[in-house]
Amino acid sequence: MPQITAFLPVHDDPTNVLSLHPSCRTVPGVRALRTFTVRARLPEALAPLQELALNLRWSWDERTRDLFRWVDPQVWEGSKHDPVAMLGHVGRERLEALQSDSAFMRFMNEDYHDLQRSLETPRWFQQRHDTPLQGVAYFSPEFGLAEAIPQYSGGLGVLAGDHLKAANGLGVPLTGIGLFYHYGYFNQYLNADGWQEEYYPPLDPHQMALRLAERPTPEGGSEPVTIEVQLADRTLTAQIWLAQVGRIKLYMLDADLDVNPGELRSVTDRLYGGDNEHRLQQEILLGIGGVRALSALGIPTQVFHTNEGHAGFLGLERIRRLMIDEKLSWSEAIEAVRAGTLFTTHTPVPAGIDQFPRQLMEKYFRSWAEECGVTFDTLMGLGHFPHEQPDAPFNMAVMGLRLAGMSNGVAKLHGHTSREMFTGLWPEVPADEVPIGSVTNGVHGRTWVSSPMSDLFTKHVSPAWDEAGPDEWARILDAREDAVWRAREEGKERLVSFVRDRLRASYRARGVSEGDIAWIDEVLDPRVLTIGWSRRFATYKRATLLLSQPERLKALLLDETRPMQLLFAGKAHPADEYGKSMISQLVQFSSDPALRHRIVFVENYDISVARMFYQGSDVWLNTPRRPQEASGTSGEKAALNGALNCSILDGWWDEMFDGDNGWAIASAADEQDLDRRDQIEANSLFEILERQILPLYYDRRPGERLSKAWVQRIQHSLATLGPKVQASRMVRDYVTGYYEPLAVRSESLDSSGYKRARELAAWKAKLTKAWPGVMVKEVGGDSEPAEIDLGGTRTVSAEVALGSLTTDDVTVELLHGPVGMNDQIGELSAVTLHPSPDGSSSNPGLVHYEGSFDCSSAGRHGYTVRVVPSHADMAAWAELGLVAWA
């Protein structure tokens, strides 16, 4: 039966019309009073196809993609590998023929039963019989699952999609929460000057692998689930779309309903579109609406994981509920919320953080503060650094950190960068001890790895290579060199064909004649060293670094014996004029008839373009300004396809480069002059290309088609990186290091009417009030000799004033290690000092502490003493930011 659906918003204000590609514009006409969707109804015998199409397992399962390709190869390609769209265009005769094809029917039914088994088979998580974890809600503003569901802009969204896929593979009880954008991010095309233009073709969720989330009605039927959020003085109603990702459910909130006025229907129009107020409205819907969606759907949640600060308002909704429904105080509700919240930051620079002016926050949250019975300044304080003025902008990352029991960056270096960037939240805490950890991002290998490479891994590593460990990945070293080379060749050949097809389509769309694009047949050569670069065109990523020395670059591109070729793709944010300028520079450089067969910019970057680049590039180039790349997972995807990374030591590469699994471009991070820094780093890149990469790639004996030394480096790269860059490793790290500890704390603090949350809040208030009376009065040890033998023991004592606190409220630590300039202790080691048995001291009102440490290395050493808070229900002593130093 046809299905009545909500129609897309029509904007009467000409200044608010979303721009369309010229080919997408229509002549104004009569607006429909009602709209509906006509869905293809498959014959009963082919019903499994519908179920297979609606589960996004097909986005990584090659067998299921083969099945849809079998249905109709031409329509499959024309649908851009979207099975839902494809099934709506397959002719009746073809469907009847498939029913009569016993081989097809057998293949389809086997694949359908394989899907069912994959949903029911116990996985890694189900084997953790003593796990406390029962449910995680993963909030993200974007999810990159497949090109057929364009709800992503770049790395953040693709990471979120890979997180869900890996959670499925491991059997983790996780639910995704996001928004559905009716115009997605944007499609990109280049004008005659090579300047990026944006257009926003409308998306119909009814024609995607999505279903409306429904609940049963008392009459025995079902109805769509909706939620409401307050946006200033108006109420927004949102429906909820469900995307099934294997066994994982992703729910996306959608404001495009008739019940909403036009300006509210457009809240979910575009990803990262509109002004600051539009962004705030989206983040209210994502955070507050997402928590309400979980309740409306009846999904119990222990741990709330916020992927960047965009969903941070979920903490305010949970605080409000605890204060209104459970009668907790402000501080008690915060402790209960923190107990089960994880905040992941992806931003290595303050400029990348969402911040909202006080006036805007007051418009949307004044009523929230009044309902909760707190002053508006108290609310604003959640988004401020200490000592910031009340009218300072509200910082979403600061709120995320304040309301999270645990926080992390997305690579080891990024964790360090984040601790430095947010040290102002804990001014008395050394940067290295700021409570922000790290989990290095990983990628979902099955989504990104080519079939030939996957077959190679299945044969030599393990059928479950995406979850294999180091010992299994070491087996790739035993693969035949020609087998590795051939798998790589297939990826390059497909890449060359793909790029030529995209170029032809692009030029035809601009009206260029067939005769004038005949040269495209000579673009790229699968035998030539191919370097790929595809990602967001942000300034710090420096896509044009190689163009800084154009003659040197031309010489490398056109070398007669050892040439190279360059491929670029990516989008600049619509408001980023410098990013667009970089794209234009690349396009103009590549338009030189002498170079256009060796350097290409591919339009309209998306998952399908990225996948082709990863699978066909020999070298993956990454040129950010260190340490501004939080993680940079594109290099991980390329590495799994046998590409070798050539990158600045930033993000994940900083911790995984071993000297032989790729190349490290020298970084002049201490150089303050950015032009000078770019020049130094460009020189390093050119020297690596000229002296190392190109000679190694073309190091072949006469008559040989492959470089054995190159293949051996590929094998070493796979052996060392294969087990580390997988999203399965990443999600396991989250489960064991964050989700499970948070689940324990959440259950503990929530139990017995939030008894321990109340007690923790009261203890923190007591401690904060009493802390000025905490002091290290005296440190003993002066009587010890000035020199000590290696391996000897040094004993240290301390006289500590605790004021109104007890020894149970604090920990006294001895910090020691080698010292450098100004007696700064380098590699800190900590020893807990213990009070004397009776807690007495020769000085009235003080507590005597004592302890010792071994001197295990020669040289100048030093030590100091500090007092820090101690409570069993704190995730880290540093969360209060209180320290008393000797």
Side-chain angles (χ1 to χ4, degrees), residues 335 338 405-406 745 749 756 760 763-764 767 809 868-882:
E335 294 307 325
R338 281 173 49 82
M406 301 180 82
R745 292 192 69 231
L749 268 65
R756 290 178 69 168
L760 179 59
W763 177 84
K764 284 187 174 182
L767 195 88
D809 293 321
V868 299
S870 177
H871 194 285
D873 286 332
M874 285 202 306
W877 71 263
E879 66 183 57
L880 281 171
L882 299 176

Side-chain angles (χ1 to χ4, degrees), residues 232-252:
D233 58 350
R234 299 171 298 176
T235 299
L236 180 148
T237 302
Q239 61 187 354
I240 306 169
W241 293 99
L242 166 62
Q244 194 73 41
V245 187
R247 66 179 72 195
I248 301 295
K249 290 177 166 54
L250 166 62
Y251 294 100
M252 296 183 284

Side-chain angles (χ1 to χ4, degrees), residues 180 182 205 237-241 252-257 260 268 285:
F180 181 83
H182 280 267
T237 302
Q239 61 187 354
I240 306 169
W241 293 99
M252 296 183 284
L253 282 69
D254 173 14
D256 187 34
L257 289 173
N260 294 321
T268 52
L285 178 58

